Amino acid sequence: MQTCTRNGCGQSYEPAANNDMACQYHPGKPVFHEGLKGWTCCKPREHSFDDFLEIKGCQLGPHSSEPKHKDDPFKADLTKYDDVLPEPAAEPAAPPVATAATSEAAAAAREPEAEIIDEDPAGVKVAAGAKCKRNGCTAAYEDEERSHGAGQCQFHPGRAVFHEGTKGWSCCKPRVTDFDEFMQIKGCQHGRHLFVGTRAPAAAQAQTEKCRRDFYQMANDVIVSVYAKKIHKDRSTVKFGAQAMDVHVEYGDKTYDETIELFAEIDPQASSFEVLSTKIEIKLAKKAPAQWPVLEKDTQ
């Protein structure tokens, strides 16, 4: 069996069964602009990186196992990460807090930050050829012995980070500029493959990725807008910590939850939010009147 290297495919195939209609792929390049992700060859755009990877190819053709950029001498050499796994970036020390109330708010905002690693339930049935769902892993299920053993999966527990033309993962240090190189960054953690998982599938988890947000700033404040339609004003809230905020939005029959670790400290007592018909406008009072290049600290 060989693995197709075309964008948007990645399927395993038998060369003897390959034909001109076997592969559904993207002939274009990935494009990331203003928080949206898609391909130059077709129109769909997604906010979530996982949803972006699920965009169906827009062209049919034969599978290909040719390595990408194999003759390009200017592509980065990722073999330097083969022998030594990248060390996870060190977490910065917790900022000092002014009051007990502020301390409690900050702790509440940071609780969701702990990364929960999902696992397949014991004895779960997995379809042959199912792909591992972990970031950075492309393995397909073969059998229990070869696909469900401890340490067989090398993956990224964090999320994809795209900032100022560089691409990487929040859980480790390597950064590259080319999308294909980004997809080749080896995982920084070992564990078991995830083919099914225990978390609620699809829609419920995708809700947190569906609210668009942007921000602008003044000398003393940062204004963040979270956009959604039919917001339930009485059930939507924002909690402020010393350097984090916990956003909960209920709109229509959906829910959006996100904990945002901020670029710099804020004054929780002086910060506020207002729920409008199509957005929540959040006012973050800066603790120091300095320019914020980004909203979130892990996108620097």
Side-chain angles (χ1 to χ4, degrees):
M1 295 283 282
Q2 296 182 350
T3 300
C4 182
T5 57
R6 292 193 188 277
N7 290 328
C9 183
Q11 294 183 3
S12 297
Y13 69 96
E14 291 286 357
N18 196 13
N19 59 65
D20 291 341
M21 302 291 285
C23 181
Q24 186 174 355
Y25 68 101
H26 293 287
K29 297 180 179 180
V31 57
F32 307 106
H33 181 61
E34 295 183 350
L36 294 175
K37 305 168 182 66
W39 299 90
T40 57
C41 50
C42 53
K43 294 182 178 179
R45 295 293 184 268
E46 299 288 351
H47 289 280
S48 161
F49 181 72
D50 291 334
D51 290 342
F52 157 72
L53 291 179
E54 294 298 322
I55 297 175
K56 297 292 185 183
C58 57
Q59 186 166 316
L60 294 174
H63 290 300
S64 172
S65 59
E66 288 293 315
K68 299 176 183 178
H69 309 301
K70 64 175 183 176
D71 298 321
D72 191 339
F74 298 102
K75 294 300 174 184
D77 178 15
L78 296 181
T79 59
K80 60 186 177 182
Y81 303 125
D82 287 352
D83 299 326
V84 181
L85 291 179
E87 296 180 1
E91 288 292 331
V97 293
T99 65
T102 300
S103 178
E104 291 176 3
R110 286 192 180 86
E111 277 183 12
E113 191 70 15
E115 192 68 39
I116 299 175
I117 306 298
D118 197 11
E119 300 287 353
D120 283 345
V124 67
K125 293 184 178 180
V126 182
K131 292 183 180 180
C132 179
K133 296 181 179 181
R134 298 202 191 280
N135 291 327
C137 182
T138 58
Y141 182 82
E142 297 179 56
D143 54 46
E144 282 297 297
E145 182 178 353
R146 288 180 288 182
S147 301
H148 256 159
Q152 292 179 340
C153 182
Q154 186 173 349
F155 66 101
H156 294 286
R159 60 184 179 82
V161 175
F162 305 100
H163 180 60
E164 294 183 351
T166 64
K167 304 168 181 65
W169 299 92
S170 62
C171 49
C172 53
K173 295 179 180 179
R175 294 292 184 270
V176 296
T177 56
D178 183 78
F179 181 76
D180 293 330
E181 292 169 6
F182 160 70
M183 296 298 288
Q184 294 170 32
I185 296 176
K186 290 188 178 297
C188 56
Q189 186 165 323
H190 282 94
R192 298 177 186 274
H193 290 300
L194 180 71
F195 298 105
V196 179
T198 59
R199 296 179 184 175
Q205 291 193 47
Q207 312 289 351
T208 59
E209 300 288 350
K210 294 303 182 184
C211 283
R212 181 173 65 88
R213 58 177 167 85
D214 58 26
F215 80 100
Y216 67 91
Q217 61 188 301
M218 296 173 284
N220 298 307
D221 303 303
V222 176
I223 308 300
V224 182
S225 295
V226 179
Y227 298 94
K229 295 180 179 180
K230 299 180 181 179
I231 299 177
H232 301 294
K233 295 185 178 182
D234 56 336
R235 302 202 298 268
S236 299
T237 61
V238 180
K239 296 180 181 179
F240 302 102
Q243 198 174 345
M245 65 175 175
D246 194 2
V247 182
H248 173 79
V249 184
E250 294 189 24
Y251 61 106
D253 59 353
K254 302 177 181 178
T255 302
Y256 165 85
D257 285 292
E258 185 174 16
T259 297
I260 302 172
E261 292 284 343
L262 301 169
F263 173 76
E265 290 186 69
I266 62 172
D267 182 349
Q269 305 300 324
S271 299
S272 60
F273 70 95
E274 182 180 6
V275 182
L276 305 174
S277 59
T278 59
K279 69 176 181 178
I280 290 185
E281 188 166 280
I282 305 167
K283 178 182 177 182
L284 302 173
K286 297 179 182 178
K287 195 154 190 179
Q291 186 78 4
W292 289 18
V294 293
L295 179 65
E296 299 177 73
K297 70 177 183 181
D298 62 357
T299 57
Q300 298 181 61

